[in-house]
Amino acid sequence: MREKIIWIFISLLMLSNANAQDISLQLQKVPVFDTVAQAAKWNSMKSKVGVTFANSNIRYTQDVFPEIKQENNLTLTAWKGEKLNAQLLVWAKTTVPSIKVAISDLKSTNGKLISKSNTSAGFVDYVITDEFVAGCGLRKPEDFASSLVADPINTIATTATLKANNVQPIWLSIKIPSNAKQGDYVTTITVNADKIYQLKLTVKVLERTLPAPSQWSFNLDFWQHPAAVARVHNVELWSDVHFDLMKKYYTMLADAGQKNITASIVDEPWGHQTYDDYPSLVKWTKKKDGSWMYDYSLFDKYISFVMSCGINQRINCYSMVPWKIAFQYYDENLGKNTTFTGAIGSDEYNVFWTSMLKDFTKHLKQKGWFSITAIAMDERPMPAMQSVIKLLKQVDPEWKITLAGEYHPEIEQDIFDYCIASYHSFPDAILKKRQQQGKMSTWYTCCVEKYPNGFTFSPAAEHVWLGWYTAAKNMDGYLRWAYNSWPKEPLKDSRFTAWPAGDTFQVYPGPLSSIRFEKLIEGIQDFEKIKILKEEFKKESKEKESKALNAVLMQFEIEKLSKQSAEEMVAKAKHILNTL
């Protein structure tokens, strides 16, 4: 998802230079601190260690003294079924060899209990990040400012060592059971550092229920990369242990509401722009008599496996229009792999693909998967897309097509799941018609957008903001490449040879979640709440409440992020949402 026409880059650069006071851009940068003044602040600490609740939307710099108000009590508001985020901060002027965190059961005043098994605490780790600059394009590390940024959430480690004059963020997650009773629940967070510290967390559970992630209407589409999992864990690709490892990652993605399976039906559908290979799930063979054979055994195993993890609503097959027109297959006459390079739309290309599509269609129908499968395309030239659409409809008029790219009214009616770039919009009438037809209308960000985005240097609240923006524009969801296309050492360095740091992944090997990923879930939950309330207000003719909610949503415009932070916008909106 990298190819963009030149004028976009030029306009972004001009806007960046013209708007020197851009709030969101400033929040992406680590401020420069006076080292002497910093040392004085660390030395002036009255106690060896500080512990407090902290803002979960702030990425605290590792070696900067936290200018933060002491908060021993925190109150959060939740719907039943909601997952909450909170952050603790521990800092010290001397080394603390071991930090441990414990969370007690949540108890209400009426004797009801939410078990501590619904909670987790993870030490937030630091990785190298860079800066946006012009966004897309190849990068040399020395040409970009780098820094350490808080992002991975290590829930595997049970202790952490805190160096002198450093901070250690701790991420708290609380999942409210769907059958919890309304009321105030209190838990104690115990931090064992140089001594025992105890903080009080209160959760106000409202008489409203959020559905389970599998029932969320938000269309989340994070592209999965199976080969990357094999590489970081040093196991054989497609081995039993590889599938066992992938299960943890895909279950975590399903718990975020993921709807789509990313399935490669050709080798390298994105021209190997990733660190790891992206092999085909289908083996293509041209037999000695000139006929074709297609082996779907790995495709079937993989799709069935991902469905067993809870991602089972759609299968997006990449792609008849790859980034490099070079389709690999095994030629029995030659006794080796070879490549087909016929131009899209040519007679040669149509013959090559018609054979496969007819066979693939038959296979999908036998498996009962045809109705949820789509041929997926990604930012390809319109003549190529039109040619592929025509060919697909000739093979079977019921073929679904997924496209992520610019908005083209000429092909809109042919696209089942149309995901447009953030700088485009669906005409209101078209969006309404698509909803009536049961089609998906979503949006995406990539290396082009300085904000909102999900880079490791992006303000954390921007991922919450995504959910609100989706609701404000009456769209169905959000797409991002990629879930786990990791660079060489993602747990140390989130930068890649191209594109801003963190662009290629949202979670870490382990699997470990991230501040970005947890905030995305928070935003999706807000989207679901908004949808529920909208339907309720309409059904019950609550015009006052409906107007209040719509007034909040109208504030979510991308250009406003230059003047107001995502955190500020989201905080105001959440306050109103909870009163409704």
Side-chain angles (χ1 to χ4, degrees):
M1 216 177 244
R2 308 293 141 222
E3 192 173 89
K4 293 291 172 186
I5 47 183
I6 295 175
W7 69 265
I8 297 174
F9 295 117
I10 295 174
S11 62
L12 284 170
L13 286 170
M14 291 176 62
L15 179 60
S16 176
N17 292 331
N19 195 355
Q21 302 302 315
D22 191 308
I23 287 176
S24 290
L25 280 181
Q26 290 301 314
L27 288 172
Q28 293 177 13
K29 300 176 182 178
V30 177
V32 177
F33 292 94
D34 185 318
T35 55
V36 175
Q38 278 295 305
K41 289 181 179 180
W42 283 109
N43 290 330
S44 67
M45 282 184 66
K46 295 181 179 179
S47 58
K48 293 181 179 179
V49 177
V51 180
T52 185
F53 282 114
N55 188 337
S56 67
N57 289 308
I58 294 179
R59 302 175 185 273
Y60 292 90
T61 307
Q62 188 177 41
D63 58 354
V64 172
F65 184 83
E67 304 285 356
I68 187 171
K69 181 182 178 182
Q70 183 67 39
E71 294 287 355
N72 295 326
N73 297 280
L74 176 67
T75 299
L76 301 174
T77 302
W79 286 25
K80 301 172 186 179
E82 183 176 1
K83 184 180 183 182
L84 298 174
N85 295 314
Q87 188 169 211
L88 294 176
L89 202 63
V90 183
W91 66 102
K93 64 179 180 180
T94 59
T95 297
V96 180
S98 176
I99 299 174
K100 295 182 179 180
V101 184
I103 308 175
S104 68
D105 293 331
L106 287 81
K107 299 179 181 179
S108 70
T109 53
N110 58 10
K112 301 299 180 181
L113 183 76
I114 295 176
S115 172
K116 61 184 177 183
S117 63
N118 292 283
T119 69
S120 68
F123 298 104
V124 179
D125 292 334
Y126 288 81
V127 294
I128 300 174
T129 190
D130 55 21
E131 56 182 340
F132 184 80
V133 187
C136 304
L138 294 174
R139 295 183 163 222
K140 294 181 179 179
E142 60 269 24
D143 294 337
F144 296 82
S146 63
S147 60
L148 286 176
V149 66
D151 195 49
I153 301 172
N154 192 340
T155 50
I156 297 175
T158 57
T159 63
T161 298
L162 179 58
K163 294 181 180 179
N165 297 351
N166 269 205
V167 301
Q168 174 60 69
I170 299 169
W171 197 265
L172 306 177
S173 292
I174 305 99
K175 179 64 185 294
I176 307 301
S178 58
N179 61 353
K181 300 296 182 181
Q182 181 183 6
D184 293 355
Y185 292 79
V186 178
T187 183
T188 300
I189 315 296
T190 302
V191 178
N192 189 339
D194 62 320
K195 62 179 183 179
I196 301 296
Y197 299 84
Q198 290 190 325
L199 299 92
K200 177 183 173 183
L201 173 63
T202 301
V203 179
K204 293 182 174 294
V205 178
L206 303 179
E207 192 55 60
R208 288 191 175 277
T209 304
L210 201 63
S214 61
Q215 298 174 11
W216 290 348
S217 61
F218 191 94
N219 187 66
L220 178 63
D221 189 6
F222 273 6
W223 296 352
Q224 308 101 53
H225 194 164
V229 177
R231 188 258 304 178
V232 298
H233 289 283
N234 195 27
V235 300
E236 182 183 352
L237 183 67
W238 310 128
S239 62
D240 289 344
V241 66
H242 179 211
F243 276 92
D244 288 341
L245 288 164
M246 284 193 294
K247 190 171 187 65
K248 300 174 184 177
Y249 291 94
Y250 290 13
T251 300
M252 186 163 75
L253 183 55
D255 287 341
Q258 174 76 12
K259 301 294 188 296
N260 304 278
I261 301 173
T262 309
S264 53
I265 57 173
V266 299
D267 281 316
E268 301 301 341
W270 295 282
H272 210 300
Q273 61 180 347
T274 53
Y275 184 85
D276 296 290
D277 294 341
Y278 217 116
S280 176
L281 295 167
V282 179
K283 184 178 180 180
W284 300 50
T285 301
K286 188 174 185 180
K287 306 187 76 173
K288 290 183 177 180
D289 63 2
S291 63
W292 287 89
M293 180 177 71
Y294 310 96
D295 183 351
Y296 304 111
S297 55
L298 179 56
F299 177 88
D300 293 348
K301 180 180 181 180
Y302 182 75
I303 298 301
S304 297
F305 160 76
V306 181
M307 286 183 170
S308 74
C309 298
I311 304 172
N312 54 23
Q313 293 195 18
R314 282 182 290 284
I315 305 167
N316 288 339
C317 298
Y318 292 89
S319 175
M320 290 176 64
V321 195
W323 284 70
K324 181 180 180 182
I325 307 303
F327 301 107
Q328 188 177 110
Y329 64 92
Y330 182 80
D331 191 314
E332 287 187 344
N333 283 313
L334 298 176
K336 63 179 183 180
N337 287 329
T338 187
T339 304
F340 174 81
T341 57
I344 295 173
S346 66
D347 291 341
E348 185 183 17
Y349 174 93
N350 289 342
V351 169
F352 178 82
W353 269 102
T354 296
S355 173
M356 192 278 179
L357 287 171
K358 287 182 176 179
D359 194 75
F360 194 34
T361 301
K362 180 180 177 182
H363 180 76
L364 289 168
K365 289 182 176 180
Q366 289 173 344
K367 297 292 294 185
W369 294 340
F370 181 71
S371 64
I372 63 170
T373 302
I375 294 296
M377 296 182 285
D378 169 29
E379 291 182 343
R380 301 293 78 208
M382 185 150 78
M385 294 187 291
Q386 289 174 316
S387 177
V388 168
I389 291 168
K390 181 180 179 181
L391 180 59
L392 279 166
K393 297 304 182 182
Q394 287 175 351
V395 172
D396 192 312
E398 297 303 314
W399 258 110
K400 289 184 172 65
I401 300 162
T402 293
L403 170 64
E406 299 183 3
Y407 178 70
H408 298 289
E410 299 90 340
I411 60 174
E412 173 275 320
Q413 67 276 7
D414 297 310
I415 309 300
F416 171 74
D417 187 344
Y418 203 156
C419 184
I420 58 174
S422 68
Y423 48 86
H424 283 273
S425 60
F426 290 104
D428 290 341
I430 295 296
L431 186 59
K432 185 176 181 180
K433 182 187 72 173
R434 291 182 61 81
Q435 291 169 340
Q436 292 171 343
Q437 294 172 339
K439 295 178 178 178
M440 293 290 106
S441 306
T442 61
W443 68 295
Y444 72 90
T445 59
C446 61
C447 60
V448 168
E449 294 87 353
K450 56 186 177 181
Y451 53 76
N453 223 313
F455 308 124
T456 43
F457 54 76
S458 296
E462 284 187 11
H463 255 26
V464 187
W465 195 95
L466 297 177
W468 283 86
Y469 180 78
T470 307
K473 296 301 178 182
N474 291 313
M475 289 188 285
D476 300 308
Y478 172 77
L479 175 153
R480 206 180 200 298
W481 116 296
Y483 179 56
N484 66 313
S485 284
W486 293 304
K488 184 177 181 180
E489 296 182 285
L491 287 168
K492 294 181 180 179
D493 193 339
S494 67
R495 296 173 297 178
F496 190 45
T497 55
W499 322 307
D503 183 61
T504 64
F505 67 99
Q506 296 292 303
V507 300
Y508 291 82
L512 303 181
S513 187
S514 67
I515 291 177
R516 292 176 290 161
F517 193 63
E518 294 303 316
K519 284 293 174 178
L520 175 80
I521 296 172
E522 185 178 323
I524 293 173
Q525 290 180 148
D526 287 346
F527 174 93
E528 296 299 320
K529 292 179 182 179
I530 293 165
K531 187 176 180 67
I532 290 170
L533 291 175
K534 275 188 171 183
E535 292 174 353
E536 177 187 307
F537 296 160
K538 182 178 180 180
K539 182 179 179 180
E540 299 180 8
S541 300
K542 294 183 177 180
E543 294 185 9
K544 180 180 178 181
E545 290 85 350
S546 182
K547 287 181 180 179
L549 182 56
N550 288 332
V552 172
L553 293 173
M554 287 177 62
Q555 302 304 309
F556 285 84
E557 296 287 352
I558 292 175
E559 57 269 21
K560 290 190 177 182
L561 287 172
S562 66
K563 300 296 184 183
Q564 188 176 18
S565 70
E567 178 187 356
E568 184 181 354
M569 293 176 69
V570 167
K572 291 179 179 179
K574 279 178 174 285
H575 176 74
I576 296 174
L577 186 68
N578 285 330
T579 63
L580 294 174

